[in-house]
Amino acid sequence: MAFLKTIDRNTPQDLAIHCIVDNYATPTHKKEEVQRWRRRHPRFHFHFIPSSWLNLVERWFAQITSRRIRRGVFHSVAELEKAIMDYIEHHNPDPKPFAWTKSANDIVRKAKRGKAMLETLL
């Protein structure tokens, strides 16, 4: 909860906050303490996404880290941001898609389970 409190304090109050969560199957979000916090913070919107979807995003960030960030020295956030944007700019003209290892049916089944779980929270 400390992480969410930090985000809440440091984000302008007029903005909604969308949290993408890959652990939709764990019971943590059903605990009364969590439910109370969510009721008190209605601008937070949680989206429980199958971890197989997020794994590809994580792979992409790992690729940026291994191919660009780890090799650099950055003296400011602006320098780091520029390095990331430069990497993206050079990567985008010839992108290589990540290959799914699960079938479309497996992914759709898992997405439906996630949606059903999310609907129990509403």
Side-chain angles (χ1 to χ4, degrees):
M1 296 277 199
F3 178 68
L4 295 176
K5 290 177 185 176
T6 299
I7 292 171
D8 194 30
R9 276 193 312 271
N10 292 289
T11 303
Q13 290 298 309
D14 61 324
L15 296 178
I17 300 170
H18 292 265
C19 302
I20 299 173
V21 184
D22 73 348
N23 64 342
Y24 71 91
T26 62
T28 303
H29 61 270
K30 291 185 176 183
K31 289 184 178 178
E32 183 54 34
E33 175 190 7
V34 174
Q35 292 300 316
R36 266 195 317 272
W37 190 92
R38 291 178 68 185
R39 284 191 295 273
R40 288 191 317 265
H41 299 85
R43 72 186 184 132
F44 278 79
H45 305 277
F46 290 85
H47 305 278
F48 297 91
I49 304 298
S51 59
S52 61
W53 296 0
L54 291 179
N55 289 344
L56 296 179
V57 175
E58 290 171 357
R59 278 186 60 198
W60 188 74
F61 280 110
Q63 190 177 70
I64 290 175
T65 300
S66 67
R67 294 184 181 174
R68 180 59 185 103
I69 295 173
R70 255 191 222 126
R71 297 178 183 192
V73 175
F74 310 102
H75 300 286
S76 68
V77 172
E79 284 184 16
L80 175 60
E81 288 174 350
K82 183 175 178 345
I84 292 169
M85 295 310 293
D86 288 346
Y87 177 84
I88 292 169
E89 198 173 299
H90 287 89
H91 177 269
N92 280 350
D94 186 28
K96 303 287 187 274
F98 293 113
W100 290 93
T101 58
K102 295 199 179 244
S103 72
N105 288 337
D106 288 342
I107 294 166
V108 169
R109 237 185 333 273
K110 195 168 185 178
K112 285 180 180 177
R113 281 197 321 267
K115 182 176 184 283
M117 179 64 72
L118 181 59
E119 288 172 349
T120 67
L121 302 174
L122 302 176

